[in-house]
Amino acid sequence: MLYKLLAVALLWSWMAVAADPEPVLPKTKIIKPVSWYAEQAQSWEQQVQGNAGDAGAWLNYFTACRYSHASPATIQAIVLQVMNAIPDTYEYYLMRGLSAGFTPEARAYLRQASTLQPDNPATDAALLLLEAYEGNVESRAALSKKIYATGHIAASLLSYSYNVLMSVGPGAVLITEGENTALPLFVLQDVLHIRTDVTILQLDLMVDAGYRKRVANTLRLDLDETALPAAPAVCKRTLAAMLPAQNPNVTFYYALTVPQDNIAAIKDRLYVVGLASQLSQDRLDNIPIIRENMERRFLLDHLTVDFNGESEFSSGKVLAANYLVPMLMLYEHYQNNGEQTKARDLEVLINKISIMSGKGRYVANFLNRGKSGQAPLAIIDLNTKAVEGSFKPVNQTLYAGEYEVTNEAYHRFLTYLLQQKQEEQHSLYDFDLSGYDEPALSFMKTYTSNYVATKRNKYFTRHPAVNVSYEAALAYCEWLTQQYNHQEGRKFQKVKFRLPSLREWQIAALGYDKFQSWELDENIVEVNVPKNEKDELSKGFRKIPVKGNDILYPWYKHYNYRNKALNSFGCSLGNFKYPESQKSCGPAKNTGDGFLMMSIVGAYFPNGMGLYDIVGNVAEMIDEKGKACGGSWNHPPEESTIRSINEYNRPNPAIGFRVFMEVIEP
């Protein structure tokens, strides 16, 4: 009876509820989490199924899919449906134009949409990117004026973008990515004539060979076309590194909104100077540049006073988190130079931005380091060989934890904080049980207690650590990094333990050590197909290539199971959520996994890289707050795949984390 009450108490607040569809606004106005866009895509899909003639619903469905990073195949499938459902409408022509890329066909469709609704800024925004693609300066400027006049871009985003431009040195090249970050830059240059000396290169446009050729000729840039791969994601990363390498006489800046994956190869040569990073082959003293920008060049009033009454999801407010890195660097500079008044004033602004962006606790820990009497780092006796052995290689410099972080491992961190009399930090990073009532509270207290395992009772020491905040996971990684890097006899000179990016997690989850791209769907893997199709357990196999977008589970090497959660005996291959009527597998071949909640780590077979529980058991945090991957014991199998992104807004029993190790110095 207790377990039934517990299950009800834990599950009710996380049960999925179909959300009512909401308008999906352009990202130049509003930016929501990817999971929100995915939910809206599902809601709007139901809407169009009920009323196929609703053109507005089709456009919202299409936009939500684009913003939730749906596959090109999904987008094209929607367009094909639209052709039959709402032909010859504004929405039809707009969607055809947006899905056709930077082509003459796209221009024709967008022109037709503009004829039907000449004052709709959505069409103007799409056409503006086409004009930028084709290098039509006057046409681009005319569209920029129309977009600016209609308020299609949030005021906070224009202010943010102004400061991006002011971060860049004279006559330099600024590399950016994403239409919502490029459009306001174009508008500022075309309409307000701000920093017209800066050349803006948008990586999405640079993927096209024709555009690259025009840019290279206009700017007299060297660009080795033979070294550029065809895959767009890989091409962007290659371009980001190739441009400065082949053009050392040009100064390149990278907007802080450029995805980290695309600048990973050059990150050691990037120096934050404001809302952009400057690439420099030599060590750059960037603090004076940050100070000059913050004190004299930036417009910061919009961060202290909301003149326009914008929502918390307003584009400029969402991107405001990017101010924190340069501001914290400048704050530390003020402190070290005894400029306490400036430090206090900046601290007020930092706190405001950190709270607005959901990073309040993390920033507070940084600001309070010297105020709380925090003890200096004390080195514990860490078994480096055991640590190194528990990480499996993803590539030559990135390793993934074999298991999700366990209660036993996490308690070592909490115990350290208590031993060092860091009570404030311990309180911040302790297991968060504030959301529980009885009987769930009593169980969770037992689950998270700092027991020492014995031969008779293992307690929950080898179960995954849950009810841990995102900030606590970051703190754990930082602590482990400091401890390892100070150990004698370690294998690597310097490493960084951290949460993975989405792409890193997905590739590690795939478990294919010969992966060709960090973009999951761009990979081709080898799978085993039984020679006897009727006998899945036969020993004879033939190998066939399969695209990554045809794989849901890490046991894909057996082709017939790549999208199945149960084996041929009806046993679950992971710890997922099944209906109560389904029992654990056995002679009767009933399905289920046998676990009511979390299982011990390593209860199932590892993937190809040796990683256990990569799907199911607990969803695993990534470096984006509020997002976890792989599903959990509280998610059905279809929501617990290598491409599943699960949203959370507070610590809960279905969310844990797996640590990745990046080798900085071998």
Side-chain angles (χ1 to χ4, degrees):
M1 181 65 178
L2 172 61
Y3 284 104
K4 288 186 179 293
L5 288 172
L6 172 61
V8 172
L10 288 175
L11 294 178
W12 74 269
S13 60
W14 296 293
M15 291 178 65
V17 178
D20 292 331
E22 300 177 40
V24 183
L25 298 177
K27 284 190 173 182
T28 53
K29 297 285 287 184
I30 296 291
I31 298 177
K32 293 284 190 76
V34 172
S35 56
W36 182 87
Y37 291 114
E39 290 174 0
Q40 290 305 310
Q42 293 179 352
S43 298
W44 284 110
E45 182 180 20
Q46 295 176 7
Q47 195 81 359
V48 298
Q49 287 174 350
N51 183 4
D54 188 341
W58 277 110
L59 183 56
N60 277 293
Y61 176 35
F62 174 85
T63 307
C65 285
R66 287 184 74 210
Y67 291 168
S68 62
H69 307 309
S71 68
T74 299
I75 298 297
Q76 290 304 320
I78 295 173
V79 172
L80 289 175
Q81 295 176 69
V82 167
M83 290 173 65
N84 296 320
I86 53 167
D88 301 324
T89 61
Y90 165 80
E91 290 79 6
Y92 163 74
Y93 289 117
L94 178 61
M95 285 183 266
R96 288 296 303 268
L98 290 172
S99 63
F102 302 104
T103 63
E105 179 187 22
R107 176 179 288 279
Y109 283 123
L110 292 173
R111 287 295 186 196
Q112 187 65 33
S114 183
T115 300
L116 294 175
Q117 293 188 17
D119 296 325
N120 195 314
T123 323
D124 294 333
L127 283 169
L128 189 151
L129 288 177
L130 269 173
E131 301 296 356
Y133 165 80
E134 295 178 358
N136 299 327
V137 178
E138 293 183 2
S139 300
R140 191 189 91 172
L143 287 167
S144 290
K145 291 175 183 177
K146 286 184 66 178
I147 291 170
Y148 180 73
T150 57
H152 186 68
I153 301 175
S156 60
L157 181 57
L158 284 172
S159 297
Y160 176 92
S161 302
Y162 173 90
N163 290 337
V164 173
L165 286 173
M166 300 309 290
S167 303
V168 180
V173 173
L174 171 65
I175 294 177
T176 186
E177 185 173 351
E179 61 186 60
N180 63 305
T181 54
L183 277 174
L185 296 173
F186 291 147
V187 168
L188 287 171
Q189 288 187 328
D190 295 339
V191 181
L192 303 178
H193 308 295
I194 294 168
R195 296 305 308 275
T196 55
D197 62 302
V198 175
T199 299
I200 298 166
L201 293 187
Q202 213 253 30
L203 282 178
D204 298 308
L205 300 180
M206 290 290 287
V207 168
D208 182 85
Y211 177 76
R212 288 197 302 269
K213 184 176 181 180
R214 286 194 293 273
V215 167
N217 290 337
T218 302
L219 301 180
R220 297 182 180 178
L221 295 176
D222 290 327
L223 201 57
D224 182 6
E225 287 287 338
T226 62
L228 290 173
V234 187
C235 184
K236 290 178 186 179
R237 292 196 293 273
T238 306
L239 278 167
M242 178 190 291
L243 282 165
Q246 295 186 356
N247 300 275
N249 295 325
V250 179
T251 305
F252 287 90
Y253 290 76
Y254 296 75
L256 297 189
T257 48
V258 174
Q260 291 299 303
D261 284 354
N262 288 343
I263 55 175
I266 54 174
K267 64 182 180 180
D268 292 337
R269 287 171 284 151
L270 290 177
Y271 296 84
V272 175
V273 292
L275 294 181
S277 295
Q278 180 180 343
L279 187 138
S280 177
Q281 301 295 342
D282 301 319
R283 183 171 181 81
L284 180 69
D285 185 5
N286 55 338
I287 296 300
I289 305 174
I290 293 174
R291 180 167 186 159
E292 171 70 15
N293 287 335
M294 288 286 182
E295 292 182 353
R296 301 179 185 278
R297 298 165 64 84
F298 280 13
L299 298 178
L300 300 175
D301 287 349
H302 71 286
L303 296 174
T304 56
V305 180
D306 185 2
F307 296 102
N308 301 285
E310 296 177 348
S311 79
E312 62 178 311
F313 296 108
S314 177
S315 303
K317 289 186 177 182
V318 172
L319 295 179
N322 288 322
Y323 283 103
L324 291 174
V325 171
M327 284 185 174
L328 287 170
M329 295 171 69
L330 183 57
Y331 172 84
E332 196 164 44
H333 171 73
Y334 286 152
Q335 291 276 44
N336 293 337
N337 284 328
E339 298 178 76
Q340 299 305 322
T341 300
K342 288 188 174 182
R344 284 193 298 269
D345 291 343
L346 186 56
E347 183 177 355
V348 172
L349 187 54
I350 289 172
N351 281 322
K352 184 177 179 65
I353 296 171
S354 67
I355 294 171
M356 180 173 64
S357 59
K359 301 182 182 295
R361 181 180 292 184
Y362 176 80
V363 171
N365 290 339
F366 179 91
L367 295 174
N368 294 327
R369 288 175 306 165
K371 302 176 183 178
S372 59
Q374 182 173 328
L377 177 68
I379 308 303
I380 64 173
D381 186 13
L382 189 69
N383 186 337
T384 56
K385 291 190 180 300
V387 171
E388 293 155 357
S390 67
F391 283 83
K392 304 299 180 182
V394 179
N395 65 8
Q396 292 181 337
T397 59
L398 186 67
Y399 294 71
E402 186 176 15
Y403 304 109
E404 294 153 340
V405 172
T406 63
N407 284 323
E408 181 181 29
Y410 193 73
H411 268 295
R412 283 198 291 270
F413 168 56
L414 293 178
T415 300
Y416 170 89
L417 295 177
L418 288 178
Q419 290 174 342
Q420 299 307 310
K421 302 187 184 304
Q422 298 181 34
E423 289 85 0
E424 182 180 347
Q425 283 70 32
H426 181 273
S427 176
L428 286 172
Y429 303 139
D430 199 2
F431 297 97
D432 185 352
L433 307 183
S434 60
Y436 293 100
D437 295 318
E438 295 296 352
L441 179 60
S442 295
F443 173 80
M444 278 301 165
K445 284 182 178 178
T446 301
Y447 181 88
T448 59
S449 292
N450 190 16
Y451 291 123
V452 177
T454 64
K455 289 184 178 180
R456 176 174 294 184
N457 196 334
K458 302 298 183 183
Y459 300 102
F460 292 100
T461 55
R462 292 290 293 164
H463 282 64
V466 296
N467 298 306
V468 173
S469 70
Y470 171 79
E471 290 79 11
L474 294 180
Y476 174 88
C477 292
E478 182 179 355
W479 169 78
L480 187 59
T481 297
Q482 292 175 334
Q483 291 297 328
Y484 179 89
N485 287 336
H486 285 82
Q487 299 291 321
E488 295 183 1
R490 61 190 183 276
K491 178 180 178 180
F492 303 110
Q493 185 64 25
K494 184 179 180 181
V495 305
K496 180 179 181 180
F497 294 99
R498 58 178 175 82
L499 298 180
S501 69
L502 173 61
R503 290 174 176 174
E504 289 170 342
W505 188 93
Q506 288 182 335
I507 290 300
L510 179 67
Y512 188 63
D513 58 7
K514 298 178 183 178
F515 68 94
Q516 306 95 45
S517 167
W518 287 106
E519 195 70 39
L520 180 62
D521 290 349
E522 293 178 357
N523 287 281
I524 304 293
V525 302
E526 283 188 342
V527 300
N528 296 323
V529 178
K531 291 182 178 179
N532 181 358
E533 296 289 348
K534 296 181 180 179
D535 183 9
E536 293 183 343
L537 300 180
S538 64
K539 294 183 179 180
F541 292 97
R542 59 187 177 88
K543 292 185 179 294
I544 64 170
V546 171
K547 291 183 178 180
N549 59 11
D550 190 35
I551 295 171
L552 293 180
Y553 295 107
W555 41 84
Y556 64 87
K557 285 192 176 180
H558 295 279
Y559 179 73
N560 292 340
Y561 293 115
R562 71 196 187 285
N563 296 325
K564 292 181 181 179
L566 303 173
N567 66 14
S568 59
F569 295 108
C571 297
S572 181
L573 295 168
N575 182 10
F576 307 125
K577 178 182 177 181
Y578 291 100
E580 281 191 30
S581 59
Q582 292 182 321
K583 300 178 182 179
S584 58
C585 64
K589 296 186 178 180
N590 295 320
T591 60
D593 54 28
F595 295 101
L596 178 64
M597 292 175 57
M598 298 77 72
S599 68
I600 189 172
V601 298
Y604 298 90
F605 291 111
N607 72 359
M609 287 181 180
L611 310 182
Y612 292 86
D613 309 307
I614 200 74
V615 293
N617 207 23
V618 293
E620 299 175 6
M621 300 180 201
I622 58 174
D623 61 0
E624 298 178 68
K625 184 177 181 179
K627 297 178 186 177
C629 292
S632 73
W633 62 269
N634 196 30
H635 292 90
E638 58 269 21
E639 296 177 14
S640 303
T641 71
I642 61 176
R643 56 187 71 243
S644 296
I645 302 175
N646 313 109
E647 185 179 2
Y648 66 95
N649 54 23
R650 58 163 298 148
N652 74 61
I655 305 293
F657 66 104
R658 183 187 305 266
V659 176
F660 279 50
M661 177 178 71
E662 181 182 359
V663 178
I664 308 299
E665 297 178 17

